[in-house]
Amino acid sequence: MQSIFLFFGALSALIGVGMGAFGAHGLKNAISPEMLAVYQTGVSYQMWHALGLLGVALIRRHDPESRLLTWAGWLMLIGIVLFSGSLYLLAMMDFKQLGMITPFGGVSFLIAWLLLAVYAARKPQARRYS
């Protein structure tokens, strides 16, 4: 596979659009407005971090060996699964215990963005471009 984060970013965006449409049309009258807002928060964070994964994929094209970028990408993906996934299930199944998982996804997002910032702040090194 040419780029794992490009693949997962595009797949996450695809799923995010589908989940957003399902929430807007399929869940509108099936769950409470409060739970619909929880669901939409999951969609929003999934879409933003799908774009983040695409950004990581593009940056890694110039520095494919960067551990910071690799960790940032995996943590964004983990965050999508834990944060957005738990909010989707919480909203649709009203399973309150899933709310305990959500912060782990949020922390994954925060660390991913921190690693990306650290990568950006580092002194540029000589890199081989082909």
Side-chain angles (χ1 to χ4, degrees), residues 16-74:
V17 170
M19 295 299 277
F22 176 69
H25 302 290
L27 293 179
K28 187 176 183 180
N29 296 319
I31 62 176
S32 71
E34 293 81 16
M35 285 294 107
L36 189 58
V38 167
Y39 184 91
Q40 289 300 335
T41 298
V43 171
S44 178
Y45 275 75
Q46 179 167 345
M47 291 303 296
W48 281 111
H49 289 88
L51 292 174
L53 279 171
L54 296 175
V56 168
L58 293 175
I59 298 166
R60 281 189 77 227
R61 294 182 78 192
H62 298 288
D63 194 1
E65 302 301 319
S66 171
R67 289 183 182 179
L68 289 171
L69 291 175
T70 300
W71 274 103
W74 286 117

Side-chain angles (χ1 to χ4, degrees), residues 8 13 15 24-26 33 48 50 58 60 69 72 77 84 115 117 120 130:
F8 280 122
I15 293 168
H25 302 290
W48 281 111
L58 293 175
R60 281 189 77 227
L69 291 175
L77 183 60
S84 295
L115 293 176
S130 43

Side-chain angles (χ1 to χ4, degrees), residues 100-116:
M100 295 184 299
I101 296 170
T102 310
F104 292 106
V107 170
S108 294
F109 287 151
L110 291 169
I111 295 170
W113 287 110
L114 176 63
L115 293 176
L116 196 54

Side-chain angles (χ1 to χ4, degrees), residues 74-94:
W74 286 117
L75 286 167
M76 281 191 193
L77 183 60
I78 290 167
I80 289 169
V81 171
L82 294 179
F83 187 89
S84 295
S86 66
L87 291 182
Y88 295 148
L89 292 173
L90 173 66
M92 290 188 294
M93 301 176 85
D94 199 29

